[in-house]
């Protein structure tokens, strides 16, 4: 084996010491009451919640499972409970313009009382009006008016009748008008006798009838005037009586709300309207409009009064304790800004101020509104409406069709409500930067960005807080308590999720998932306490539910359908490591990488790139190899090299540069002719100077190759070579750690290509001397010799090809 030191067992994963905890179970740990691992984001949110200036709304970003929504609710509620309760909002009828309802603001809890007071007021007015209009005094006063006008009418008619008799005409009154009948000797002349009179006599009588008829028209007009005068006097009587009946009742309510000028103005308007329409309060039961065939479509008088004077309580804050905190899970346009609803009667749509419904912004007014950013953006009109309201600080209830120029419908135009709300948007970082870069108003309206991290430092304080988080989850989820071994395993699992021995994950949804599953396994084991073995089983079983495709690939390796060697040595062939993901499950997949080199001018050909199966990162990695070869071996002589690189049995494409060092090892082996150990797989990217660079998924890659070695047979020589920068990211499972401890599996951390090639070949890489040559027999010397041979051959062939042309 190579003389390069291997990684010791203590470097393979973070081992949590149980002695860090001074408890037996989480039952003795107080629940965690602070946000864990998000100090920067927490400070940003706290600042944003206390900032009162316009535009200091908050955008909380972070990956799913980092606790954004849970923390946002808790933080906002903590601040809101100490703040003043905002007032109630009502919409009432506008008696001057019914299409523009008036918004009234009342102290918190007074809105509900105002609705009740108005309902009682209207019922009291109807009762009092019914009493007073059915009283003897009112009937007497009304009869006096009617009698007075009847007397004047009688005088007018008697005077006319006397005048008509002077002309020899008998007046006859009917419902259709006046008829004049000629008289002779005090008796009416029958129509037959009138026709038998001579012409001159008839014409004389007809002139008299015409004169009398003209006088009758004047009398009729005068009678109509008397009728109008009588109705007006009765109306004034009704108004006077109605004011007496309703005025005192309304004044009592006015006195109760005298500190609110808007409410007082509204009650005064009610008084004027009630007096003007006092007849509506009378009992009209039993009266039906038989002349209108569509009368059943109309509201009856009692319904009209009820709706006309009703108070539409839009926002009722009587049960709040502090400022409101509203979480709108479905932020459609109407759910945000409210709506004006319609009712249909026989196909006819109608609406009024009582059908105005509140939105989330109404209910959050004076407090906080929490929204999912993606949901707001995907609902038509919601984002533009939210921005407009935050800019103008006024909330209009409008139909969405009016916003986009769709079909115009006659609707209400409620007076706007002044808005004072702090909006907390929750989304992922990509969405935040997308909105910030493409919406010029976003940065002005959401000046606070709280970015939730996925990792936190793995120090003693955070480990203790992790135990407190486990205790909180156990309490809230009603799980069995965890003992010290179980907490220790959960901390180690958190470290693996974070992908670093120096970090713990803050994706607490993944942690909670294992906590719940470990509780289930403890229940199945009939244990009262969750121990470390239950946590370990939960992790293994969770992986088992997701690793179907990994097992299928392992079966193909076992059957030889996917070809890979884990023993022996071969020239130009190496084992690379890649990571595959199926949903949330990631696993390592070894791949055979081969290189062929020969004389030519083609340089290094990436077969995946030529077949358009290579991603940009992988293509860049291959091009870097050309830079390394040129810098290393073509300082004095040109290159006459063609090389081909490929991932064998790869048909789905490849991306990433983590295999660039692996490909370079294959090239060096092919050029030097020195075989490479097939028992060692490798990963890591390389720069043009030959330095190894870190990669991702190192834990999964190592475990993936180890599983293949188990299938092929553990020989004790197998292992993996990784970049030294990835050592602190290792979180290997128990099986791999045990194999390393027993010397059956080896893990090397390398800094340069030279170190790696020596491990793979047991041949020194070679150090260039002052003359630019390498020691004989080293890898670089062998490569240099091969490249010079290619060049010399190429020159000779070129000269021989030119000689015939010269001779001719």
């Amino acid at each position: 084996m190579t003389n390069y030191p291997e990684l010791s067992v203590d470097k393979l994963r973070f081992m949590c010491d149980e002695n860090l905890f001074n408890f037996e179970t989480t039952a003795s740990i107080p629940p965690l009451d602070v946000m864990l691992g998000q100090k920067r984001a927490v400070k940003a949110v706290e600042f944003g919640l206390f900032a009162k200036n316009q535009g200091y709304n908050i955008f909380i970003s972070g990956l799913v499972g980092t606790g954004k929504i849970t923390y946002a609710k808790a933080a906002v509620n903590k601040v809101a409970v100490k703040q003043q309760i905002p007032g109630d909002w009502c919409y009432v009828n506008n008696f001057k313009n019914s299409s523009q309802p008036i918004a009234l603001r009342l102290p918190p809890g007074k809105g509900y009382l105002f609705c009740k007071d108005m309902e009682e007021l209207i019922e009291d007015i109807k009762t009092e009006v019914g009493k007073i209009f059915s009283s003897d005094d009112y009937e007497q006063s009304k009869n006096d008016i009617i009698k007075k006008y009847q007397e004047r009418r009688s005088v007018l008619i008697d005077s006319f009748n006397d005048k008509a008799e002077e002309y020899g005409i008998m007046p006859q009154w009917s419902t259709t008008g006046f008829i004049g009948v000629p008289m002779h000797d005090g008796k009416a002349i029958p129509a037959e006798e009138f026709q038998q009179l001579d012409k001159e006599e008839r014409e004389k009588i007809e002139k008299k009838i015409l004169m009398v008829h003209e006088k009758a028209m004047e009398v009729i007009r005068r009678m109509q005037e008397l009728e109008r005068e009588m109705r007006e006097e009765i109306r004034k009587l009704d108004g006077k009586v109605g004011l007496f009946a309703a005025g005192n009742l309304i004044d009592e309510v006015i006195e109760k709300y005298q500190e609110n000028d808007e409410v007082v103005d509204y009650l005064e308007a009610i008084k004027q309207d009630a007096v003007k329409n006092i007849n509506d309060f009378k009992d009209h039961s039993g009266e039906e409009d038989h002349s209108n065939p569509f009368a059943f479509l109309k509201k009856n008088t009692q319904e009209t009064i009820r709706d006309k004077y009703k108070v539409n309580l839009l926002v009722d804050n009587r049960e709040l304790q502090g400022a409101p905190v509203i979480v709108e899970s479905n932020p459609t346009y109407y759910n945000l800004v409210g709506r004006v609803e319609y009712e249909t009667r026989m196909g006819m749509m109608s609406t009024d101020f009582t059908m105005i419904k509140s939105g989330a912004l109404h209910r959050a007014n004076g407090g906080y509104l929490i929204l999912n950013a993606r949901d707001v953006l995907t609902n038509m009109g919601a984002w533009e409406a939210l921005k407009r309201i935050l800019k103008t600080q006024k909330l209009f209830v409008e139909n969405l069709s009016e916003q986009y120029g769709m079909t115009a419908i006659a609707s209400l135009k409620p007076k706007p409500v002044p808005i004072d709300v702090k909006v907390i948007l929750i989304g992922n970082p990509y969405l935040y930067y997308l909105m910030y870069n493409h919406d010029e108003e976003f940065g002005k309206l959401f000046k606070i960005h709280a970015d939730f991290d996925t990792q936190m430092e793995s120090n003693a304080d955070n480990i203790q807080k992790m135990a407190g988080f486990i205790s909180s989850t156990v309490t809230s989820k009603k799980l069995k308590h965890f003992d010290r071994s179980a907490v220790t395993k959960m901390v180690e699992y958190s470290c693996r999720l974070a992908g670093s021995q120096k970090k713990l994950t803050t994706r607490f949804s993944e942690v909670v998932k294992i906590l719940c599953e470990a509780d289930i396994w403890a229940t199945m084991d009939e244990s009262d306490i969750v121990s470390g073995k239950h946590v370990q089983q939960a992790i293994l079983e969770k992986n088992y539910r997701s690793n179907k495709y990994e097992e299928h690939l392992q079966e193909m390796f076992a059957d030889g359908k996917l070809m890979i060697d884990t023993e022996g040595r071969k020239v130009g062939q190496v084992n690379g490591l890649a990571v595959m993901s199926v949903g949330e499950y990631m696993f390592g997949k070894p791949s055979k990488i081969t290189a062929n080199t020969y004389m030519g001018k083609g340089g290094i050909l990436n077969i995946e790139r030529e077949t358009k199966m290579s991603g940009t990162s992988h293509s860049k990695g291959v091009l870097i190899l050309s830079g390394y070869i040129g810098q290393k071996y073509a300082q004095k002589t040109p290159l006459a090299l063609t090389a081909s690189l490929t991932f064998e049995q790869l048909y789905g494409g490849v991306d990433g540069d983590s295999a660039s060092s692996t490909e370079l090892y294959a090239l060096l082996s092919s050029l030097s002719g020195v075989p490479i150990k097939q028992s060692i797989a490798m990963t890591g990217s390389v720069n043009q100077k030959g330095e190894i660079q870190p990669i991702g998924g190192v834990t999964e890659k190592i475990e993936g190759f180890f599983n293949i070695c188990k299938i092929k047979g553990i020989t004790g020589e197998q292992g993996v070579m990784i970049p030294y920068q990835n050592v602190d990211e290792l979180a290997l499972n128990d099986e791999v750690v045990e194999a390393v401890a027993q010397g059956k599996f080896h893990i090397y951390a390398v800094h340069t290509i030279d170190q790696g090639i020596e491990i793979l070949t047991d041949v020194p890489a070679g150090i260039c001397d002052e003359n630019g040559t390498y020691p004989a027999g080293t890898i670089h010397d062998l490569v240099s010799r091969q490249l010079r041979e290619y060049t010399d051959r190429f020159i000779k062939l070129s000269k021989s090809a030119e000689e015939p042309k010269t001779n001719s």
Side-chain angles (χ1 to χ4, degrees), residues 1-2 4-7 680 719-722 746-750 759:
M1 297 297 294
T2 179
Y4 276 97
E6 304 173 27
L7 291 182
I680 298 179
V720 173
M721 195 165 61
I722 64 173
H746 314 275
I747 300 177
Y748 307 95
V750 297
I759 293 172

Side-chain angles (χ1 to χ4, degrees), residues 721-732:
M721 195 165 61
I722 64 173
Y724 75 96
Q725 300 98 324
N726 290 117
V727 171
D728 63 358
E729 297 177 1
L730 292 176
L732 297 170

Side-chain angles (χ1 to χ4, degrees), residues 509-567:
S509 63
E510 297 298 320
V511 175
V512 171
K513 190 182 299 182
I514 296 299
L515 293 176
C516 294
E517 293 184 14
D519 174 79
I520 296 172
W521 288 110
T523 302
M524 296 172 66
D525 196 28
E526 298 182 354
S527 173
D528 296 330
I529 299 294
V530 179
S531 63
K533 69 175 184 179
H534 299 130
V535 173
Q536 190 67 26
Q537 187 174 9
I539 296 171
L540 293 174
E541 292 292 340
K542 177 178 177 293
N543 292 338
Y544 178 72
R545 293 195 297 269
S546 304
N547 71 349
K548 179 180 70 173
Y549 295 104
E550 181 184 21
E551 287 191 355
H552 288 341
L553 285 173
Q554 291 174 358
E555 289 174 3
M556 295 176 73
F557 279 116
D559 296 339
K561 295 176 182 177
L562 286 178
M563 299 191 311
I564 196 166
D565 295 315
T566 59
E567 297 181 60

